[in-house]
Amino acid sequence: MSRKILQQLTFGVIVGNRGFFPSYLVTEARRDAARVFEKLGIKTVILDESQSKLGGVETWQDAKACAELFHRHRDEINGVVILLPNFGDEKAVADAVRLSGLTVPVLVQAEQDSLDKMGLATRRDSFCGKISLCNNLRQCGIPFTLTSRHVCTVAGEDFAGDLRRFTQLCRLVHAMKGVRIGAIGARPAAFNTVRYSEKLLERMGVSVETLDLSEIFTRVGRLSDNDLRVDEKLALLKDNADTGAIPAQKLHTMAKLFVVISEWVLANDIDTTAIQCWTSLQENLGINVCSIMSIMSGQLMPSACEVDVMGALSMYALASCSLSPASIADWNNNFGDEQDKCVLFHCGNFPAESLENPVMGTADIIGTTVGCENTCGAVHGRMKAGPLTYFRLSSDDFTGKVRAYVGEGTVVDDPLDTVGCRAVVQIPAMEPLLRYICEQGFEHHVAMNHSATAEVLHEAFTKYLGVECYWHAKA
């Protein structure tokens, strides 16, 4: 897994308070929130009751104390959760976030009132307080995320669901900061479609490190078949897919290539790779790199074909959000006359976890030009039925911006007789989507995985990462 994709997250928690509302509500909120965070495996940084009244934030001094606490833990905190058990002091809460200097996502929750508790001793007015707080956050230039319902109970399932989505969002935003992409080899000459702007990526804080294939071939040539590192990679290749039809020498060459790529990735802190997968590898080593890419993607170190750097970054975003391996594929074929279905296809690099009965074979399409015997290593398999999120980042030199599109659909199990890695997908209003992709000049590649994370990806990129993102479901 990439070093930047977090499994354990830590949230800074602010409990708002306002003196003329019942203060016991703050104590209840802290108690209920602690249970929810513990159940979801989320660590927290929060004022204790010795640092402010009941551990809430109500005054300027409370705001400073909270900000100082968050600042001390700035390297740990991945997001901030604001709880409003009563109206809260909107200015103090906004000041706490602003003074902390944190640039992480912020979730705003407000507790709902009960109709039988609207007296002075029990009413909350959090419904109104949330609107006031959001106004103050916007004045401070602090982006924030809202719960799915305007008010909800901290102890309820609605808020637990909001926290799960917020966890995905925070993981994605954290993972995207300082990404290092490995571009291995030159893009295939005919593939102008995968051109990209390193300068626009650098502006996003994304670095591209390059490696020439000639260096790869030299390092592969130095490795012995008996090297223990080769044996380790060979075992991974055999575990990833059925290799019964592949000659032993081809597997050993793949294992050597795997060792060389892995050690370069490790030495350079690479998070995701884009590889020149044809035709130099076939002509020089007599193999395909697909199975290696399949394994790396399965390890949440996504790898894209044809030096599609923006495709690799798209895969990485999907994987880091959902912790589910991502694939890259062509928008490849219509599915008969069904306009809401199509075929997504690539020669053979999908992560094995996403496939039914993966088998290692040859890449027959490329084999027509380089010889099928030189294309051992392609994975063949049908993508399992289930939920689908598709996503694509692209650098647009004409506007000087990175942009994206995202949406959801379903991988279906309709019959399809073909080779390689393939999926039949059903997407609502597919014709308008394809029209948008064509008119906007997006690439023919798209990243996808088994998840339902379009909403999270859209919010993360538009609100926190500054990338214009078209959400197909909301068009």
Side-chain angles (χ1 to χ4, degrees):
M1 182 184 296
S2 164
R3 73 199 192 289
K4 298 185 68 63
I5 299 178
L6 302 176
Q7 289 188 311
Q8 175 71 66
L9 276 79
T10 299
F11 291 160
V13 181
I14 300 173
V15 184
N17 191 22
R18 202 167 192 127
F20 46 81
F21 286 89
S23 293
Y24 74 88
L25 298 174
V26 174
T27 301
E28 287 184 354
R30 288 172 57 89
R31 179 199 64 207
D32 292 343
R35 292 172 178 167
V36 175
F37 288 125
E38 182 179 8
K39 182 178 180 181
L40 297 179
I42 299 168
K43 294 182 178 180
T44 58
V45 176
I46 184 173
L47 288 173
D48 64 39
E49 296 181 353
S50 68
Q51 294 170 298
S52 69
K53 180 182 176 182
L54 301 175
V57 172
E58 181 178 3
T59 67
W60 169 248
Q61 294 301 324
D62 295 342
K64 288 201 301 179
C66 183
E68 289 168 3
L69 176 65
F70 286 2
H71 186 71
R72 288 199 302 273
H73 294 271
R74 61 189 178 278
D75 294 334
E76 305 165 42
I77 294 176
N78 311 117
V80 171
V81 177
I82 299 172
L83 308 176
L84 294 179
N86 58 35
F87 191 107
D89 189 292
E90 63 271 29
K91 189 172 184 298
V93 172
D95 282 338
V97 180
R98 179 174 58 85
L99 292 172
S100 73
L102 293 175
T103 55
V104 296
V106 175
L107 177 66
V108 182
Q109 178 270 351
E111 193 77 14
Q112 64 187 50
D113 271 301
S114 299
L115 290 177
D116 60 348
K117 295 180 180 179
M118 296 295 286
L120 293 179
T122 53
R123 68 184 296 148
R124 298 177 182 273
D125 290 11
S126 308
F127 189 105
C128 185
K130 181 173 181 177
I131 298 171
S132 296
L133 171 60
C134 291
N135 176 279
N136 274 259
L137 291 173
R138 190 170 185 273
Q139 288 187 48
C140 293
I142 299 170
F144 54 87
T145 294
L146 299 173
T147 50
S148 52
R149 292 177 55 189
H150 183 66
V151 290
C152 59
T153 63
V154 167
E157 186 51 42
D158 284 336
F159 183 59
D162 291 328
L163 275 178
R164 292 186 188 98
R165 285 187 294 275
F166 188 63
T167 298
Q168 292 180 324
L169 189 151
C170 291
R171 184 184 296 118
L172 171 56
V173 171
H174 179 272
M176 290 297 297
K177 293 180 179 179
V179 180
R180 290 173 61 80
I181 306 174
I184 301 176
R187 65 169 173 80
F191 273 49
N192 285 355
T193 47
V194 297
R195 287 173 169 173
Y196 68 98
S197 171
E198 284 193 50
K199 293 180 180 178
L200 291 181
L201 286 179
E202 199 68 50
R203 190 180 296 171
M204 283 182 63
V206 177
S207 300
V208 179
E209 300 299 318
T210 61
L211 179 65
D212 192 83
L213 282 182
S214 63
E215 297 182 59
I216 292 275
F217 299 147
T218 299
R219 296 175 194 180
V220 167
R222 293 173 181 161
L223 285 173
S224 165
D225 285 351
N226 300 321
D227 192 303
L228 290 178
R229 295 169 296 173
V230 175
D231 289 340
E232 291 172 358
K233 299 303 185 186
L234 186 60
L236 288 174
L237 288 163
K238 291 181 176 180
D239 286 343
N240 190 61
D242 182 352
T243 60
I246 306 300
Q249 188 54 49
K250 297 287 187 180
L251 287 170
H252 275 86
T253 303
M254 278 181 240
K256 291 179 184 180
L257 177 60
F258 199 174
V259 169
V260 171
I261 291 175
S262 296
E263 294 196 345
W264 181 78
V265 164
L266 185 62
N268 290 276
D269 290 331
I270 301 298
D271 300 298
T272 181
T273 52
I275 301 176
Q276 181 188 340
C277 54
W278 56 275
T279 57
S280 181
L281 279 165
Q282 291 77 16
E283 292 169 348
N284 286 278
L285 297 182
I287 58 169
N288 264 39
V289 71
C290 303
S291 288
I292 297 169
M293 300 167 74
S294 170
I295 294 170
M296 291 194 295
S297 294
Q299 295 171 337
L300 302 189
M301 300 275 292
S303 190
C305 311
E306 292 145 351
V307 202
D308 185 358
V309 165
M310 300 306 295
L313 190 60
S314 305
M315 295 170 71
Y316 175 77
L318 269 172
S320 63
C321 178
S322 61
L323 296 182
S324 175
S327 305
I328 195 163
D330 291 348
W331 292 106
N332 208 72
N333 311 92
N334 59 289
F335 192 75
D337 291 327
E338 298 191 52
Q339 293 190 352
D340 63 343
K341 293 180 182 178
C342 74
V343 178
L344 296 177
F345 168 87
H346 248 181
C347 299
N349 69 323
F350 291 10
E353 179 183 317
S354 69
L355 299 174
E356 297 175 353
N357 305 316
V359 175
M360 189 189 295
T362 56
D364 298 332
I365 294 176
I366 298 175
T368 60
T369 59
V370 299
C372 284
E373 70 279 5
N374 294 315
T375 65
C376 292
V379 177
H380 294 256
R382 176 75 181 263
M383 195 169 181
K384 297 173 183 175
L388 172 81
T389 297
Y390 56 88
F391 180 62
R392 178 73 204 190
L393 286 159
S394 181
S395 60
D396 184 0
D397 287 3
F398 300 107
T399 62
K401 296 179 180 178
V402 174
R403 56 195 180 130
Y405 67 83
V406 69
E408 292 180 10
T410 307
V411 182
V412 296
D413 57 7
D414 295 28
L416 177 67
D417 183 16
T418 190
V419 296
C421 285
R422 66 271 189 193
V424 179
V425 302
Q426 184 168 17
I427 296 173
M430 181 178 287
E431 284 291 331
L433 170 64
L434 295 170
R435 181 177 296 275
Y436 178 84
I437 290 169
C438 290
E439 289 180 343
Q440 295 298 316
F442 277 95
E443 298 80 356
H444 65 295
H445 288 167
V446 66
M448 61 177 179
N449 73 351
H450 282 117
S451 72
T453 52
E455 180 179 4
V456 174
L457 284 154
H458 180 265
E459 181 169 16
F461 278 93
T462 57
K463 188 175 289 183
Y464 295 105
L465 297 170
V467 172
E468 176 185 315
C469 184
Y470 165 75
W471 183 5
H472 182 55
K474 294 296 183 181

